[in-house]
Amino acid sequence: MLSGAFKHEDFAGHSGVIETGGIQWMTAGRGVMHSEMPHSAEEAHGIQLWINLPKSEKMVEPAYQDRDKKDIPVVSKNGATVKVIAGESLGAKSEVVTRTPAYYLDVHLEKGAKFNQPLPKGWNTFAYVLSGAVHFGPDTEGQVVPKYSTVVFNDGDCVDAKNNGDDITQFVLIAGKPIGEPVVRRGPFVMNTSEEIQQAFKDFRSGQNGFEKANDWRLRK
C-alpha cells in the first residue's frame, strides 16, 4: 500500500487490514473468493501484481503472508533506498516465500544516486516508474523512463538505474523465473489447458475441490 489502507476478507475466514507501507503476498492456489475494500478516510493507492504458479503448485491450499511496514527490510546505500518486498537487494533479504522465484523491490533514488541490482540470467524483468524519471542502463547509453511508464528489459545479469533529475524518484523493479508452461486463462482462472479451465469452473459452480464455502459466503459488515 502506497497510501491509505485496504481491508481484505475471504470465504475461509481470513481477514485483516493492510496499512500504508504494508504488503500482502497471497497465494490463491486451488482457489479463493476474496474482497478488498478501502479502509481509511485517506485515498487508497497501491500496486497489485499477479504472478502465475507452476502446474505443480496450482492446487495448493490458499495462503497469506502479511507484512506491516516495520517488518519489511529496508536498506540504503549511496542515495539509493530499497524496500525488499521479495528477493534480496544490497545485502537485505525478504522473508516472504514465493512459490515462483521472484524479486519485488521498491526503489527510491535521491538526486544523482545510482543503483545496481544483480539478477539471475534468464529471468523476465521489468520496472514501473512511480515518480520522477529514471535512467536505466549505462551512463552513455540506456533510456530515460518517465513517471507512470513501464520498461521491459532484455535478458541480462543486472539492472542499472540512475536519477539524473532534481527530485527523488521511485520505481518498482520486478523479476521472475519463467515457468515455461502453457498458459490458458478464462475469467479469474489461469491454468495450463482448456480442460483444466473447464474443471475449475465446474468446481466453482458445484462448490467442490476448494470451493465448498463459496455459495454461502457473505461479506461481514
Side-chain angles (χ1 to χ4, degrees):
M1 288 300 300
L2 299 173
S3 63
F6 254 60
K7 181 179 180 181
H8 68 91
E9 179 183 337
D10 73 12
F11 69 0
H14 303 108
S15 64
V17 176
I18 309 170
E19 305 282 356
T20 300
I23 65 105
Q24 179 188 84
W25 196 279
M26 182 180 77
T27 301
R30 64 194 301 174
V32 61
M33 289 182 64
H34 65 107
S35 167
E36 299 168 344
M37 297 295 291
H39 192 68
S40 65
E42 181 183 5
E43 182 179 16
H45 184 200
I47 299 176
Q48 187 175 74
L49 173 72
W50 290 65
I51 299 178
N52 194 17
L53 289 171
K55 183 179 179 66
S56 61
E57 303 279 1
K58 286 189 183 295
M59 299 306 289
V60 299
E61 290 294 329
Y64 296 87
Q65 298 174 80
D66 292 351
R67 298 288 187 273
D68 293 333
K69 180 180 179 180
K70 61 180 178 58
D71 299 322
I72 302 173
V74 178
V75 60
S76 297
K77 181 179 180 181
N78 299 329
T81 299
V82 184
K83 176 184 288 188
V84 187
I85 297 171
E88 55 187 292
S89 182
L90 301 179
K93 187 174 182 178
S94 171
E95 294 182 354
V96 170
V97 177
T98 64
R99 291 180 178 270
T100 300
Y103 280 26
Y104 193 140
L105 309 175
D106 181 2
V107 184
H108 291 71
L109 298 180
E110 298 178 8
K111 179 181 178 179
K114 296 182 179 181
F115 172 67
N116 173 271
Q117 176 62 42
L119 294 167
K121 284 187 67 65
W123 282 26
N124 294 326
T125 306
F126 73 93
Y128 178 71
V129 180
L130 290 160
S131 65
V134 183
H135 180 279
F136 290 103
D139 287 341
T140 56
E141 302 176 16
Q143 177 181 351
V144 176
V145 180
K147 179 172 64 173
Y148 304 144
S149 298
T150 301
V151 57
V152 178
F153 299 98
N154 295 326
D155 188 18
D157 58 7
C158 71
V159 168
D160 288 300
K162 182 180 180 181
N163 179 9
N164 291 323
D166 294 326
D167 300 321
I168 294 176
T169 63
Q170 180 184 9
F171 65 93
V172 289
L173 181 64
I174 297 167
K177 181 179 180 180
I179 296 174
E181 297 176 352
V183 175
V184 179
R185 181 186 66 83
R186 183 181 170 194
F189 299 114
V190 180
M191 302 297 286
N192 297 99
T193 67
S194 296
E195 291 76 17
E196 291 172 345
I197 290 288
Q198 293 172 7
Q199 184 62 50
F201 273 100
K202 180 179 178 181
D203 291 341
F204 175 71
R205 290 165 180 156
S206 60
Q208 64 183 15
N209 199 22
F211 291 104
E212 287 80 3
K213 299 179 181 179
N215 291 333
D216 297 327
W217 180 53
R218 298 293 184 274
L219 283 175
R220 302 172 188 171
K221 294 183 179 180

